[in-house]
Amino acid sequence: MRVNIGGNRYTFTSYMRSSSESEWYGSYSSTQPLQLKKNNLLTLHLVGTTVGPLQLTAPKTAEELGELGASDIQQDVRITAFPVDLGGGLVRVQLLPTLTAESGLTVHAYGLEPLVPGSGLYIENAAGEKAALEQPESMSYPSDFRFHETAGAGAWPYTVFIPYIEVSDHDAVSAEVEIPLPDIGQEQMLHTRAEIAGFPVEFTRIERTGETAASVDVNVNFNAAKLRTLKHFLIRYPGQADNSSFSWVNKDQTYGVMKTLHLETKPGEDKLRFKLSEPHFLLKGPWRLPLKLDS
């Protein structure tokens, strides 16, 4: 997609598309820095269609949006819920998290399902009865869901309960971890400790599964009873500025305390070196958001 803004032309690339019933949603990001002014006009050129010109307006602040919905603050994270009556007893709710810019945190999900069964967000009516949630798989945003009003009069107000949220710290990087590599087909027990963003982890076993691959067991000390607890992290190899992709499996399905990471190795090396980065961890609530529809 190409965009004209204030006489400058920019290229935007798509990184997410999804649909819900007859509506389509798309998110695009610019491949170059934008030069924006309040009085700029914007014209979109998308698949042979021109949209605009459109007047750019300053975005609403979190404080301004907070007045339009119900908010609650836990652990310095405010979540605001915006309900919309879709008719036929169906209500759509959008959640807006607000974090300080200094924290560097990003909210990814609301709840621990399926890691901790029964820990996802839920809706209760005025009588304490749970309403049925509708969360289409095609919708990529966990902050957007719908629920069906319960039968009978006097159900309002409904309240959204969020027991946990999952956040990540993109800027966090640990010191380098060094683990001895055994011969191909051999394994070795470990007691290698590391720390990321204040969360201690321990690597307990390594197996050289091939010339360029190894599996490593790590205990992330997950504890859902704590206010903050580590869920997982990303890996960054020496000399790389970006995180690397890797896979894992939860060895202990009861809360996923132990994980097996499948990491890359180099031929001939006798040590595996990497850094932990971008930890994903859980913040414990609950956040309570009493919904109110405009009459």
Side-chain angles (χ1 to χ4, degrees):
M1 179 177 69
R2 297 191 180 276
V3 182
N4 288 339
I5 305 177
N8 297 316
R9 172 163 287 197
Y10 302 92
T11 299
F12 282 67
T13 57
S14 173
Y15 63 87
M16 190 283 293
R17 295 180 184 178
S18 62
S19 65
S20 175
E21 298 180 356
S22 61
E23 297 179 339
W24 282 88
Y25 302 83
S27 295
Y28 295 80
S29 61
S30 174
T31 58
Q32 60 196 104
L34 300 179
Q35 298 179 12
L36 301 178
K37 296 181 180 179
K38 287 185 178 180
N39 60 349
N40 280 159
L41 296 176
L42 176 148
T43 302
L44 304 177
H45 303 279
L46 178 63
V47 195
T49 300
T50 299
V51 180
L54 307 173
Q55 180 68 56
L56 291 177
T57 59
K60 294 286 187 180
T61 65
E63 288 74 17
E64 292 172 312
L65 290 173
E67 297 177 358
L68 304 177
S71 295
D72 191 12
I73 301 176
Q74 299 292 334
Q75 299 204 58
D76 297 325
V77 177
R78 180 171 65 184
I79 300 176
T80 305
F82 303 95
V84 178
D85 188 356
L86 299 179
L90 187 62
V91 179
R92 179 183 182 182
V93 179
Q94 292 176 291
L95 301 176
L96 173 68
T98 305
L99 304 95
T100 61
E102 295 78 12
S103 70
L105 303 182
T106 301
V107 176
H108 289 273
Y110 300 86
L112 305 183
E113 300 283 2
L115 189 59
V116 179
S119 64
L121 68 82
Y122 59 94
I123 309 287
E124 284 189 357
N125 65 13
E129 301 168 331
K130 289 187 178 181
L133 284 174
E134 180 182 293
Q135 192 173 355
E137 293 182 0
S138 60
M139 292 299 293
S140 300
Y141 295 113
S143 56
D144 190 313
F145 63 92
R146 304 176 183 187
F147 73 91
H148 294 270
E149 297 181 54
T150 55
W156 284 90
Y158 289 87
T159 300
V160 179
F161 290 88
I162 306 174
Y164 300 87
I165 63 172
E166 178 186 334
V167 302
S168 70
D169 186 348
H170 183 270
D171 298 329
V173 181
S174 75
E176 185 173 280
V177 177
E178 182 178 285
I179 296 176
L181 273 170
D183 294 333
I184 296 176
Q186 300 296 311
E187 68 175 7
Q188 181 176 333
M189 304 308 294
L190 303 170
H191 297 283
T192 302
R193 292 178 172 83
E195 185 176 290
I196 176 74
F199 297 104
V201 301
E202 182 179 8
F203 298 90
T204 60
R205 186 194 67 90
I206 185 171
E207 179 181 358
R208 186 76 174 264
T209 56
E211 191 174 31
T212 59
S215 65
V216 182
D217 288 354
V218 56
N219 186 347
V220 299
N221 296 296
F222 182 89
N223 185 347
K226 293 183 177 180
L227 291 177
R228 296 187 172 209
T229 188
L230 183 64
K231 186 182 178 202
H232 65 269
F233 49 79
L234 303 185
I235 291 292
R236 188 173 297 178
Y237 294 106
Q240 293 184 351
D242 299 319
N243 302 320
S244 297
S245 299
F246 66 96
S247 63
W248 70 36
V249 294
N250 291 334
K251 293 194 67 176
D252 179 0
Q253 293 297 332
T254 310
Y255 304 149
V257 171
M258 190 72 69
K259 299 178 184 294
T260 297
L261 315 182
H262 300 284
L263 303 181
E264 299 174 7
T265 63
K266 294 182 179 180
E269 286 192 335
D270 59 0
K271 294 184 184 299
L272 176 62
R273 298 179 178 88
F274 56 87
K275 292 182 178 180
L276 317 184
S277 63
E278 195 171 340
H280 287 238
F281 54 95
L282 304 169
L283 300 183
K284 186 177 181 180
W287 287 259
R288 298 177 177 86
L289 308 172
L291 303 179
K292 181 181 179 180
L293 288 175
D294 293 333
S295 56

